[in-house]
Amino acid sequence: AKRVLRERGDVILPELEEWTAALDPADENYEHNRLEALWTYQSIDIVEPALLDSLLTATDPRVRAAAVRVVKHWHSRMDNPLEALARAVEDENPQVRLEAVRTLAEIPAPQRMELALRTLGRPVDHFHDYALWMTARDLKDAWLPALEAGEFNLELNPEHLEFALRAVDSPTVVEPLLKLVTEGKIPPERQDAALALVASLGNSQHLGSVLQLALNS
């Protein structure tokens, strides 16, 4: 049925609008049915921002997660997709947060990595950890130059920034990571891993700094 609707294109728009408007909020399937409507709009390439916005704050977290996935496809035609994703990365539901992290990798905006790292303020399982690791690597050509230029938000939680730095296998991360360690902003239980990364990517001067820190500890 969905394939047929897609083949018919925007000729179905009046009926789709009528069907969506007639949905009963008291129906236990109300949010799911509105999600089906959203997917149908997506299939005929018609952006419906009001419907999307309402589903991004739906009661059902599965609906919110699905709506975030639609943002990935519609972001270039939305007024402020980052505003929606800023809420989603701190959602109480892990699936919503995961979808937001991966969607941020698709949007051309400078603060994407800063937003993605906010999700570390919530519990992180191995799926989420991997999604954020992938996003850090996918966006490295955007946020690493900003970091070097002093334009990246260094007021982030140091542990969150350390996560991004460890995800990117690049000598660029050595100086900022070493700075976090020397300023005592990395928890003691994570300092060994941070220094090991500095030692593996840094030059002889960085190795000297690692040795000095080890001797002083």
Side-chain angles (χ1 to χ4, degrees):
K2 285 185 176 179
R3 185 166 62 248
V4 171
L5 290 172
R6 180 176 181 177
E7 290 170 353
R8 291 182 179 177
D10 59 9
V11 69
I12 71 167
L13 195 55
E15 288 81 2
L16 177 58
E17 292 174 345
E18 182 180 352
W19 181 80
T20 305
L23 291 173
D24 182 4
D27 186 342
E28 64 179 9
N29 294 316
Y30 177 67
E31 289 186 339
H32 173 77
N33 290 337
R34 283 170 61 79
L35 178 59
E36 293 287 354
L38 182 71
W39 283 336
T40 306
Y41 278 108
Q42 184 183 1
S43 72
I44 61 174
D45 198 30
I46 299 292
V47 175
E48 183 49 56
L51 179 59
L52 175 59
D53 286 346
S54 68
L55 294 178
L56 286 167
T57 57
T59 302
D60 189 333
R62 296 169 299 177
V63 174
R64 296 199 302 274
V68 170
R69 202 174 306 137
V70 173
V71 172
K72 179 166 62 176
H73 301 283
W74 284 0
H75 67 83
S76 63
R77 292 182 283 177
M78 295 173 62
D79 290 337
N80 192 353
L82 291 183
E83 182 178 342
L85 294 173
R87 296 192 304 268
V89 295
E90 297 183 282
D91 194 277
E92 63 182 17
N93 183 269
Q95 183 65 29
V96 178
R97 299 197 301 272
L98 188 149
E99 293 290 350
V101 165
R102 291 307 295 149
T103 297
L104 281 164
E106 306 291 332
I107 298 178
Q111 64 269 51
R112 294 170 294 171
M113 196 61 221
E114 295 173 22
L115 285 178
L117 289 171
R118 289 186 191 177
T119 195
L120 291 172
R122 295 277 189 169
V124 176
D125 60 21
H126 63 281
F127 297 110
H128 202 148
D129 183 277
Y130 181 60
L132 188 56
W133 180 86
M134 287 179 59
T135 297
R137 295 180 69 87
D138 289 344
L139 297 178
K140 67 179 181 180
D141 291 338
W143 72 268
L144 276 179
L147 183 65
E148 289 183 285
E151 298 169 357
F152 193 79
N153 181 11
L154 292 175
E155 298 304 316
L156 287 168
N157 183 310
E159 292 183 53
H160 298 179
L161 180 56
E162 182 217 353
F163 180 100
L165 293 172
R166 285 190 290 107
V168 182
D169 188 19
S170 167
T172 307
V173 309
V174 171
E175 289 289 347
L177 187 55
L178 190 57
K179 186 173 186 289
L180 289 175
V181 175
T182 56
E183 292 180 354
K185 294 181 178 179
I186 301 296
E189 66 273 14
R190 299 180 64 168
Q191 286 186 6
D192 287 350
L195 290 175
L197 181 60
V198 170
S200 66
L201 296 176
N203 55 32
S204 58
Q205 182 179 350
H206 297 133
L207 288 173
S209 298
V210 171
L211 177 60
Q212 190 60 49
L213 286 168
L215 293 173
N216 293 338
S217 62

